[in-house]
Amino acid sequence: MSWDCGLKYMFSMSPALQQGSMCILQDKEDLSRLEMFQRLAKDSYRFLQKHSKGPEKTNTPQSDEAVRVCLRERGRDVLLLRSMSSDQPALSASTRGGGRTEARNRRYVVVSGTPEKILEHLLTDLMLDDDQGTTQDTDALLDDFLLTYPVFMSASDLCQALLGHYCTKRQRGKDDRKEVLGRKQKVVHLVVQWITLCKDFLREEDHVKLFLQTLYRCMLDDLYEHPVLEKDLRELQNLYHIQRRHTVDDYSPHRKNKGFSHQLSLKENGLQSRGPQNEVLCHVYVTMDSYLSMRAHAEVIAQELLQTVAERMDFAAEELALVAVSYPGGRLLLQPQDRVYADSLRPVGRLHVCRKDLGDILNPFKGDSELQQRTVRMLTLNTWDVAVALTNFDWTIFESIHEQQLVYFTFSRHASGSHTVALELLLQRCNEVQLWVMTEVLLCPVLCKRVQLIKKFIKIAAHCKAQRNLNCLFAIIMGLNTAAVSRLTQTWEKIPGKFKRLFSELEMITDPSFNHKAYRESFKKMKAPKIPFLPLLLKDMTFIHEGNKTFHDNLVNFEKLHMIADTVRLIRQCHSDHMGNCIIQKSSTEVRVYTDYLHIIDNQQTLFELSHRLEPRP
């Protein structure tokens, strides 16, 4: 049977259906995989071959552009797929393919489509194990969809669509009954994967809670007809800690579901991440140009901050006061029990600590003798302990960063910053470590001690590399490479050759040449867990975002979203610890206090003035 005759025989339609939807097949291979096409045929879709205007097909393999499937509804494209055979390279090195091997010799990957059709294809393409009823591995399309759906679909829209797929009933025979059961299992599996992947964003959301409760009740109804759902029901119950308080009557197929109709009227309330969302890097200015940086919880009160600043700066807390200065110029003296970040105090431009008796801003560094005493304290700290403390600080933030935070940060889909709190904290910490390095060096008035200080920072950077913290490594090297520090020629001339060579080796890792090739190769060789240089990761995502349209002809450009998902999966790889490597180590209390509360000068003009004071221009 020829290709044309065989296709017409398998997908013959009555004339009444000619005005319906249309699907164009651009390739005549893969008649062995008809699951999706058979389902579309039942929904009155029409399949046609797109004849090539070129010469006869030869043995030369077709390009990817020629192997495509287009689905149309009511005269417009709604889904575009690309056929990928087993001899083609995988789309992602990190993709974890799932299902039976023989069925994956030819697969259809999403190129673009409407959100509803992408989800429908995902459920159709999802492959379940015949014996267990669950997938053996997470499918690449499923992972890409769950990581990037906020770009084109709200969480409540996804809940409604999933409920619609689960509750649709089309039972006309034994085969249809089996198909309905399979679809329900696929929906439940997708929900389980969704909650598992995005639990930090979704656990506290009321509309997601209502969706899960509604789905749970629907599954209770279906147990009477599909007892095999008992295992899926138990998995959903354990995952979301749903309390099962139902009797045998709940299994009755006649019990009405009151939650479903209410769910369809829900609107998006916005996602809120858990983890470090209640933490901030608090800046308390101790001079006009410098501040003390510390990590504090959002409910912190003025007395707690004053006590911390007093201990760090060797002042009596009773002598100090905390003043909130707003951007318009208003000043508010905070009482000991006032919440620093209360809504009534926003926006807080700056927090200043002052002396109660004088009302002047605190200045803990007045003379050279005090500066020398401060430098001696830093020089007594063990470099490995300092690197451990810096890495532990970074890791506590980094391990709470979810892959989706990078998606929200790149696309800026929501105005609320609650989606990217941990990510922004670590970016801020990287910038502050760089300023801290500059501050420590430029506040050291004695040449020989300044040389020792730079040697210490070079060793700390090397230890950070050994501890797989490249985010902090970059911050330290960039701090030493800033113009205000690098211009200190008299200081750098006295750095021993061994340390200069070590600094050059570390500097090469931060070299941006050839798209940061040295960094990428070095980072790739490191075992997980590890902390990447986040600004570069965000730069890669911005490059993908700005260089590719998110929508093509009102269809979601899923090829772009696949590239985005493949990039953010690096966070998951950095978090994983399959070999038992541990990044958290013990550090002394003294060192931890010193690194957790960094004194920083953030005024570039002040930093250059300090630099020229140490080594004036010739």
Side-chain angles (χ1 to χ4, degrees):
M1 183 181 297
S2 67
W3 160 251
D4 293 331
C5 294
L7 188 64
K8 291 177 181 178
Y9 173 78
M10 299 180 71
F11 298 104
S12 59
M13 295 288 171
S14 64
L17 299 178
Q18 297 299 317
Q19 297 179 355
S21 302
M22 180 184 297
C23 179
I24 300 176
L25 296 183
Q26 292 183 314
D27 183 48
K28 66 180 183 179
E29 299 178 353
D30 189 27
L31 288 180
S32 61
R33 179 168 173 78
L34 295 175
E35 177 185 355
M36 182 185 68
F37 301 114
Q38 289 171 343
R39 183 184 182 285
L40 294 175
K42 292 178 183 179
D43 289 335
S44 302
Y45 292 105
R46 184 182 171 207
F47 292 79
L48 298 176
Q49 178 191 6
K50 183 175 180 180
H51 295 279
S52 175
K53 296 182 181 180
E56 293 290 332
K57 181 180 178 181
T58 63
N59 293 330
T60 304
Q62 288 182 305
S63 65
D64 288 347
E65 293 296 328
V67 190
R68 297 206 170 190
V69 175
C70 179
L71 174 64
R72 290 179 184 170
E73 283 185 354
R74 297 176 181 84
R76 71 183 189 94
D77 296 343
V78 294
L79 187 65
L80 182 61
L81 308 175
R82 177 164 60 85
S83 178
M84 183 183 70
S85 60
S86 58
D87 56 350
Q88 289 177 293
L91 289 179
S92 166
S94 60
T95 293
R96 298 171 295 172
R100 295 171 290 254
T101 304
E102 63 274 12
R104 292 185 177 272
N105 290 336
R106 169 72 70 179
R107 299 208 51 208
Y108 289 89
V109 296
V110 177
V111 176
S112 60
T114 63
E116 297 78 11
K117 288 301 174 183
I118 292 175
L119 177 60
E120 183 178 342
H121 171 71
L122 169 60
L123 291 172
T124 302
D125 195 56
L126 198 60
M127 302 177 69
L128 301 177
D129 185 90
D130 292 334
D131 298 325
Q132 302 296 329
T134 57
T135 55
Q136 296 175 345
D137 296 289
T138 303
D139 186 83
L141 174 60
L142 174 59
D143 202 40
D144 292 349
F145 180 88
L146 294 179
L147 285 174
T148 61
Y149 78 86
V151 174
F152 57 86
M153 199 175 196
S154 67
S156 62
D157 288 340
L158 180 56
C159 291
Q160 295 175 31
L162 290 172
L163 272 179
H165 282 288
Y166 183 89
C167 296
T168 301
K169 296 184 179 296
R170 295 186 310 167
Q171 297 188 16
R172 295 186 294 269
K174 184 177 180 180
D175 292 339
D176 287 325
R177 186 172 178 272
K178 183 177 181 181
E179 179 185 336
V180 168
L181 174 61
R183 186 181 66 252
K184 291 179 182 294
Q185 288 181 306
K186 290 179 180 181
V187 170
V188 175
H189 174 74
L190 189 150
V191 171
V192 169
Q193 294 297 323
W194 181 32
I195 301 301
T196 301
L197 180 65
C198 307
K199 57 181 179 295
D200 291 336
F201 285 88
L202 302 174
R203 278 193 184 275
E204 303 302 326
E205 293 307 308
D206 292 336
H207 61 279
V208 176
K209 284 183 178 180
L210 180 58
F211 160 69
L212 291 173
Q213 293 168 2
T214 304
L215 178 63
Y216 184 76
R217 290 194 294 266
C218 290
M219 294 179 68
L220 283 173
D221 287 340
D222 292 334
L223 281 182
Y224 182 83
E225 186 176 1
H226 304 291
V228 73
L229 288 175
E230 174 70 25
K231 179 180 178 181
D232 299 305
L233 185 71
R234 195 179 302 114
E235 185 176 8
L236 184 64
Q237 180 183 6
N238 293 335
L239 178 67
Y240 209 71
H241 307 296
I242 300 176
Q243 298 298 323
R244 188 166 179 174
R245 302 172 182 173
H246 303 276
T247 63
V248 178
D249 293 337
D250 289 325
Y251 291 88
S252 171
H254 304 293
R255 189 176 65 85
K256 294 183 179 180
N257 192 327
K258 298 180 181 180
F260 179 63
S261 60
H262 178 67
Q263 171 63 27
L264 294 181
S265 65
L266 288 176
K267 293 184 178 180
E268 177 69 5
N269 295 320
L271 300 178
Q272 293 185 0
S273 63
R274 296 173 70 198
Q277 67 170 347
N278 293 324
E279 290 186 349
V280 293
L281 283 181
C282 182
H283 297 166
V284 181
Y285 278 79
V286 294
T287 70
M288 292 302 298
D289 299 322
S290 64
Y291 61 84
L292 189 68
S293 174
M294 66 193 78
R295 189 164 57 182
H297 55 88
E299 306 295 325
V300 66
I301 61 176
Q303 185 176 1
E304 295 179 26
L305 282 184
L306 278 178
Q307 187 64 37
T308 302
V309 173
E311 292 177 358
R312 186 67 177 84
M313 296 301 179
D314 295 329
F315 279 91
E318 296 77 14
E319 300 177 0
L320 304 178
L322 192 63
V323 177
V325 181
S326 61
Y327 286 112
R331 295 167 63 90
L332 175 64
L333 179 64
L334 300 182
Q335 300 302 314
Q337 298 304 317
D338 284 346
R339 285 172 51 193
V340 176
Y341 294 100
D343 294 335
S344 59
L345 300 180
R346 292 179 180 174
V348 176
R350 277 190 174 187
L351 291 173
H352 288 277
V353 60
C354 308
R355 295 180 184 271
K356 280 185 179 180
D357 53 350
L358 302 177
D360 296 331
I361 194 165
L362 186 65
N363 189 352
F365 309 120
K366 291 183 178 180
D368 287 347
S369 60
E370 294 184 12
L371 292 179
Q372 291 184 33
Q373 181 66 28
R374 184 173 183 275
T375 304
V376 168
R377 186 187 307 175
M378 175 61 188
L379 291 176
T380 58
L381 301 180
N382 181 274
T383 55
W384 178 264
D385 288 343
V386 173
V388 167
L390 291 171
T391 299
N392 289 347
F393 190 103
D394 288 358
W395 180 254
T396 56
I397 303 175
F398 178 70
E399 67 177 349
S400 62
I401 295 179
H402 189 274
E403 299 103 307
Q404 268 191 345
Q405 290 194 29
L406 279 76
V407 177
Y408 280 112
F409 189 90
T410 302
F411 286 84
S412 300
R413 186 168 179 270
H414 294 273
S416 174
S418 60
H419 304 84
T420 58
V421 171
L423 178 60
E424 293 178 3
L425 280 178
L426 194 54
L427 291 174
Q428 184 178 341
R429 175 68 173 184
C430 179
N431 184 57
E432 290 183 349
V433 169
Q434 177 182 345
L435 291 172
W436 169 63
V437 171
M438 299 172 63
T439 302
E440 292 288 344
V441 173
L442 297 177
L443 285 180
C444 183
V446 182
L447 177 60
C448 62
K449 294 186 180 300
R450 197 160 60 246
V451 171
Q452 296 180 40
L453 198 56
I454 291 180
K455 288 167 55 179
K456 268 189 172 292
F457 278 123
I458 294 175
K459 291 178 67 176
I460 292 171
H463 294 327
C464 286
K465 178 177 180 292
Q467 295 168 19
R468 308 185 297 280
N469 182 5
L470 291 190
N471 199 60
C472 198
L473 164 67
F474 265 77
I476 295 174
I477 297 301
M478 288 189 301
L480 293 175
N481 266 331
T482 53
V485 177
S486 61
R487 65 168 297 277
L488 302 176
T489 54
Q490 298 177 21
T491 305
W492 285 98
E493 285 176 356
K494 293 187 176 297
I495 301 294
K498 178 178 68 174
F499 284 90
K500 287 183 178 179
R501 287 190 295 271
L502 177 59
F503 180 73
S504 297
E505 294 174 4
L506 298 174
E507 197 177 22
M508 286 179 60
I509 298 178
T510 65
D511 184 7
S513 302
F514 304 103
N515 194 20
H516 290 271
K517 180 181 178 181
Y519 161 78
R520 297 181 191 277
E521 291 180 350
S522 177
F523 188 73
K524 188 177 181 180
K525 296 176 182 178
M526 287 185 178
K527 299 178 180 178
K530 51 189 176 181
I531 305 176
F533 181 51
L534 280 181
L536 181 57
L537 185 58
L538 292 173
K539 174 188 171 185
D540 292 341
M541 291 193 62
T542 302
F543 180 81
I544 296 172
H545 177 45
E546 297 296 337
N548 300 274
K549 293 182 178 180
T550 305
F551 296 93
H552 282 315
D553 298 327
N554 296 322
L555 298 180
V556 179
N557 181 9
F558 206 79
E559 287 188 319
K560 168 183 175 176
L561 298 185
H562 165 75
M563 292 188 288
I564 291 290
D566 198 32
T567 304
V568 302
R569 265 188 287 264
L570 177 66
I571 297 294
R572 185 185 306 168
Q573 298 168 13
C574 292
H575 284 164
S576 62
D577 186 9
H578 302 298
M579 304 300 294
N581 300 306
C582 182
I583 201 168
I584 293 291
Q585 301 181 53
K586 291 184 178 180
S587 58
S588 66
T589 304
E590 179 187 5
V591 174
R592 188 165 59 251
V593 169
Y594 196 86
T595 56
D596 285 357
Y597 307 103
L598 300 180
H599 180 261
I600 294 166
I601 298 177
D602 64 342
N603 188 308
Q604 293 296 324
Q605 182 178 354
T606 302
L607 291 171
F608 268 101
E609 289 176 358
L610 290 172
S611 177
H612 287 289
R613 186 187 306 173
L614 295 176
E615 295 188 19
R617 291 178 180 176

